[in-house]
Amino acid sequence: MAHAVGIDHRILAGSLLALSTGIAAYSSFKLWSLKRRCRRQQNDVYETQKSLHEYLIFHYGNKTEILGYDFGPQDALDFPKRCADMCMQYFKGKEGLPSRAVDVGCAVGRSTFELCRLFDEVVGIDYSQSFVDACNLLKDEGKMAYYITTEGDLKETLEAKVDPAVDRQRALFMQGDACNLPLDLGQFGCVLAANLIDRLRTPQNFLNRLGTLVAPGGILVITSPYTFLEEFTPKDKWIGGYVSKKTGKEVTGFDGLKQNLLKHFDLIHTRNMPFLIRETARKHQWTVSHVTVWCRRS
Ligand SMILES: C[S@@+](CC[C@H](N)C(=O)[O-])C[C@H]1O[C@@H](n2cnc3c(N)ncnc32)[C@H](O)[C@@H]1O
Ligand SMILES: *[C@@H]1O[C@H](CO)[C@@H](O)[C@H](O)[C@H]1NC(C)=O
């Protein structure tokens, strides 16, 4: 009897030890995954409120809201609209192409909505769930309130609005990865990738996909300031902005595009296009994008 009780005690002690080890392991696992989740969210600049509101004013802000001065780079305003205009200008008059466009890396959707003026169907794809949520709210309501930073903690509330002349039902927004696009998207008469390629982890995957994404005879518009950064793209995946180890020659972003696209596309137009991102009432980021327009060979 006494012997049996002794065993029971050992078993009890053993299971208590196992249980507390288990609890400790479980709680440290929870803490670790929580920390990891926070870190991932902090790392993803496009998931923050700050960037959501900066993109809302970048896409939907008017002249006074973005640049409240009678001087400054006025020709840098309305960049997402000018991107869509480029697409429509080069698509117009072409026959037998699907009346479908896709805006890859659509952010908060201004170009996507602008493309609805011409195309029957426009797909807007972005990696950021918070951007896609904003797009869907704008699609459903036609407007959305947001705030911008004036200076420090001071804020001002604004409203983003889609032109009522746009048939918003033609737009379809989805969260997705440009480097791993769904295979069932079909083909498009026009593909827009505005300021996207230097933000991708594996830009090559996206560029390789374009040969099948654009319908034969269709238009591809790429804009990029070629700001390659290791923060977004590991250096061995950069398509430009480096000196080639093989040839010793400089490779620019434009060189990288030509190397990847000339197999399937003709280059039909290039130009420089400025844009302006407002950070505060007195601080703006002025950048010049390189626009290349390509036509998929039939
Ligand atoms: C510099 S912003 C440009 C946004 C918009 N096209 C414009 O011109 O204003 C880059 C956008 O690409 C999105 N993005 C980044 N990586 C992506 C990926 N792998 N697939 C799809 N979108 C991505 C970001 O969330 C962001 O909206
Ligand atoms: C810009 O929007 C503001 C509201 O934020 C409005 O008061 C102003 O009239 C608008 N300006 C222009 C030029 O449309």
Side-chain angles (χ1 to χ4, degrees):
M1 199 58 193
H3 186 68
V5 169
I7 288 175
D8 279 350
H9 270 281
R10 276 204 303 274
I11 291 172
L12 191 65
S15 11
L16 277 177
L17 185 70
L19 189 69
S20 56
T21 313
I23 290 170
Y26 175 71
S27 35
S28 63
F29 168 75
K30 264 187 69 169
L31 197 67
W32 170 77
S33 57
L34 203 68
K35 270 192 199 148
R36 203 174 64 131
R37 189 148 27 126
C38 290
R39 213 177 306 135
R40 199 172 54 215
Q41 275 167 0
Q42 272 165 14
N43 278 350
D44 202 340
V45 293
Y46 293 116
E47 291 290 2
T48 63
Q49 284 292 303
K50 180 175 177 286
S51 93
L52 174 64
H53 295 176
E54 272 179 23
Y55 270 89
L56 281 165
I57 189 170
F58 175 44
H59 281 206
Y60 298 97
N62 71 22
K63 183 177 153 310
T64 354
E65 291 166 338
I66 297 176
L67 194 62
Y69 308 94
D70 57 6
F71 52 87
Q74 312 271 340
D75 53 3
L77 300 171
D78 277 323
F79 176 81
K81 177 184 185 297
R82 285 182 285 130
C83 288
D85 288 345
M86 290 282 285
C87 290
M88 296 190 280
Q89 181 192 333
Y90 283 91
F91 179 84
K92 256 186 205 156
K94 290 186 141 262
E95 269 159 38
L97 287 171
S99 183
R100 306 179 71 220
V102 61
D103 177 10
V104 191
C106 64
V108 291
R110 173 74 188 278
S111 304
T112 309
F113 287 123
E114 290 296 324
L115 289 166
C116 292
R117 295 181 196 272
L118 178 71
F119 294 93
D120 293 343
E121 185 195 339
V122 187
V123 180
I125 301 179
D126 203 278
Y127 195 68
S128 156
Q129 188 61 55
S130 56
F131 283 4
V132 173
D133 291 345
C135 288
N136 279 320
L137 189 65
L138 284 161
K139 177 184 171 178
D140 294 344
E141 312 279 329
K143 59 184 189 198
M144 169 180 177
Y146 66 101
Y147 59 82
I148 52 166
T149 299
T150 313
E151 55 180 73
D153 286 341
L154 307 183
K155 298 198 190 324
E156 190 187 336
T157 305
L158 295 183
E159 190 177 69
K161 242 172 124 171
V162 183
D163 181 349
V166 166
D167 179 3
R168 303 193 303 274
Q169 294 314 311
R170 294 177 170 200
L172 176 78
F173 294 101
M174 57 169 85
Q175 192 278 336
D177 183 356
C179 304
N180 187 19
L181 288 171
L183 294 171
D184 58 1
L185 281 176
Q187 289 199 317
F188 294 87
C190 182
V191 173
L192 169 65
N195 298 351
L196 174 75
I197 51 158
D198 52 4
R199 290 292 168 269
L200 300 176
R201 290 205 67 73
T202 48
Q204 198 95 42
N205 287 6
F206 174 63
L207 295 174
N208 289 342
R209 180 73 169 79
L210 290 170
T212 48
L213 197 64
V214 183
I219 294 296
L220 165 66
V221 175
I222 295 181
T223 83
S224 178
Y226 306 132
T227 30
F228 302 107
L229 290 167
E230 281 185 285
E231 185 190 340
F232 297 101
T233 320
K235 218 167 214 178
D236 61 329
K237 298 284 192 300
W238 287 10
I239 62 156
Y242 64 90
V243 177
S244 164
K245 285 207 182 87
K246 259 191 241 157
T247 64
K249 286 204 184 112
E250 291 187 350
V251 180
T252 65
F254 186 32
D255 292 331
L257 285 181
K258 285 188 283 194
Q259 278 167 22
N260 281 282
L261 295 175
L262 285 173
K263 276 170 271 173
H264 301 292
F265 294 87
D266 293 322
L267 179 63
I268 56 176
H269 181 76
T270 68
R271 78 158 66 160
N272 294 316
M273 222 159 75
F275 64 90
L276 191 69
I277 293 187
R278 178 198 181 280
E279 283 180 35
T280 72
R282 294 175 183 279
K283 184 163 181 273
H284 300 71
Q285 208 189 87
W286 181 79
T287 315
V288 180
S289 233
H290 188 226
V291 184
T292 54
V293 184
W294 311 77
C295 182
R296 164 90 197 276
R297 277 195 288 276
S298 301

